[in-house]
Amino acid sequence: MERHHHRVFAALSVFAAVASVTAVSSSGVARAQAEEALDEEAAARLFDAGVVHLRAQRFEEAAEDFRRSYRAARRVETMCNLALTYDRWGEHQDLALRAYRTCARDDETGRFRGYAEQRVEEIERELALAAAEDPDASPPPPEDPSQADVTPPPPPPEPDHSLLYAGLTVGGLALAAMGVGIGFALESNTIVNDLTDRLGPEPVLVRGTPDHDRYENALLFADVATAMYVLMGSMLAASGAMIAVDLVVSASANEPHLALVPAGTGASLRGRF
């Protein structure tokens, strides 16, 4: 029986080790996604502040807010609003030109590309005319998307569902724990039923006899089954939490609501993301 106990405890140790490694890796993914969500929230707050400053014609504050928002979350809407800010500011045509070029280049939806390309052509003409009138004036800036402390955005990242996959893995381990628990519970019940069928409802067992050893095994199996049920419940709760967090983060990251609308002699980007 001692060897049998060793086998049971060894199996439980391996199962616990796998569950522990999965939980640690899942917690690391959860922290990374939480930090990404915080960056998105900070970018949204700065973007909204920039829109308020732009409408109030506080262009320096608006440009600072849009630059900081773009650093936190590189969205084409933010770059287009930054271009509009420089465009309206005055004496910042070179920065507006670079930002409009980046806006037009990175706008995969095409919502802002037409207006941005139009302003690029108009600003280039204005700078060319100014250079013709004043030979000492600086030439138009080269085709350089870099702009005022802002790095051009990389291609949009693919949705990250690592936390979802980790949650499903933990859920699968929980189901495995349930299966192990059910197996031990059935084995324990089978032993007890056999003993009561042969020896009566209240059998007297002598320590050291085969029947007493079988009864001890039944108690051990029952304890293991209980432990498996508790472990299963904890892992299912963790799995549900990870899946819920992944779905919430993914939903919040896919809510861009912004439009380029006419405003006076120019245009304005309104909305939030």
Side-chain angles (χ1 to χ4, degrees):
M1 186 176 70
E2 183 178 354
R3 288 194 301 271
H4 182 76
H5 288 185
H6 284 314
R7 288 196 299 271
V8 171
F9 290 137
L12 292 177
S13 298
V14 172
F15 193 91
V18 173
S20 175
V21 170
T22 303
V24 170
S25 62
S26 300
S27 65
V29 174
R31 283 195 299 272
Q33 290 203 346
E35 292 174 358
E36 182 179 349
L38 289 176
D39 289 342
E40 292 284 348
E41 293 175 3
R45 287 195 300 270
L46 289 165
F47 180 86
D48 290 341
V51 171
V52 171
H53 288 311
L54 178 58
R55 290 174 179 170
Q57 298 186 4
R58 295 191 292 269
F59 300 118
E60 184 175 359
E61 293 87 345
E64 175 65 18
D65 288 333
F66 288 136
R67 284 197 299 268
R68 292 174 60 195
S69 175
Y70 191 71
R71 293 190 194 103
R74 296 174 179 175
R75 295 182 179 273
V76 65
E77 295 90 344
T78 308
M79 178 59 71
C80 295
N81 249 337
L82 182 59
L84 191 63
T85 301
Y86 285 131
D87 197 2
R88 294 184 179 181
W89 194 347
E91 304 297 328
H92 290 79
Q93 286 182 308
D94 55 340
L95 295 178
L97 182 58
R98 295 175 186 176
Y100 274 130
R101 285 171 176 163
T102 303
C103 171
R105 184 200 65 193
D106 296 333
D107 181 18
E108 296 182 352
T109 65
R111 288 189 297 167
F112 318 120
R113 186 183 302 121
Y115 180 79
E117 291 176 344
Q118 175 187 337
R119 287 302 296 147
V120 166
E121 294 178 1
E122 294 171 351
I123 293 174
E124 285 178 341
R125 278 199 304 269
E126 294 170 5
L127 292 175
L129 289 173
E133 295 174 359
D134 183 4
D136 296 330
S138 300
E143 291 286 341
D144 183 3
S146 64
Q147 117 73 38
D149 298 328
V150 177
T151 304
E158 294 295 328
D160 182 11
H161 292 293
S162 301
L163 197 59
L164 173 64
Y165 301 143
L168 294 175
T169 300
V170 173
L173 290 173
L175 295 179
M178 180 179 68
V180 173
I182 291 175
F184 277 110
L186 291 176
E187 182 64 19
S188 174
N189 190 62
T190 299
I191 294 173
V192 171
N193 288 338
D194 179 67
L195 291 174
T196 55
D197 288 343
R198 290 192 300 103
L199 304 177
E202 296 182 1
V204 177
L205 302 174
V206 179
R207 184 178 298 276
T209 62
D211 287 336
H212 183 269
D213 291 342
R214 292 190 66 201
Y215 179 70
E216 290 290 329
N217 285 339
L219 294 179
L220 175 62
F221 293 158
D223 291 340
V224 172
T226 301
M228 289 293 101
Y229 293 150
V230 172
L231 179 61
M232 175 199 67
S234 301
M235 295 178 71
L236 284 178
S239 172
M242 286 187 284
I243 293 173
V245 170
D246 182 275
L247 294 177
V248 169
V249 171
S250 298
S252 64
N254 293 319
E255 294 181 348
H257 298 293
L258 199 70
L260 187 65
V261 297
T265 58
S268 176
L269 289 168
R270 298 180 182 177
R272 66 176 292 123
F273 58 86

